[in-house]
Amino acid sequence: MWWETLQHGAITFGIPQVGCRAKNGESMERALITPDLIVPNDKARLDAGEDQQLEAAVKSLLGQ
């Protein structure tokens, strides 16, 4: 990340130094990517400390 500060010093922002490209060579910046696994989170379970998306991702990676 390349950090810049405006002249008055009140705002600092970062500029990525490396861009990502898809296999076909197109820039991935601002590209909409659909997840391989779509799992909605239930707010009550999130409030209880459970993350259904994380659990589903781990199960998928472990092949369960």
Side-chain angles (χ1 to χ4, degrees), residues 40-61:
N41 269 325
D42 175 44
K43 184 170 179 352
R45 289 178 63 187
L46 275 175
D47 290 344
E50 296 179 51
D51 186 335
Q52 299 97 75
Q53 293 174 342
L54 179 60
E55 290 171 4
V58 170
K59 286 180 182 177
S60 175
L61 291 170

Side-chain angles (χ1 to χ4, degrees):
M1 187 70 68
W2 172 8
W3 293 100
E4 290 287 335
T5 303
L6 295 183
Q7 290 176 341
H8 53 69
I11 298 176
T12 301
F13 59 94
I15 301 170
Q17 293 184 21
V18 178
C20 295
R21 297 202 175 272
K23 289 181 181 180
N24 64 4
E26 290 183 21
S27 174
M28 295 295 293
E29 182 137 354
R30 297 184 350 186
L32 296 176
I33 301 171
T34 303
D36 295 332
L37 188 59
I38 299 174
V39 178
N41 269 325
D42 175 44
K43 184 170 179 352
R45 289 178 63 187
L46 275 175
D47 290 344
E50 296 179 51
D51 186 335
Q52 299 97 75
Q53 293 174 342
L54 179 60
E55 290 171 4
V58 170
K59 286 180 182 177
S60 175
L61 291 170
L62 295 175
Q64 298 176 352

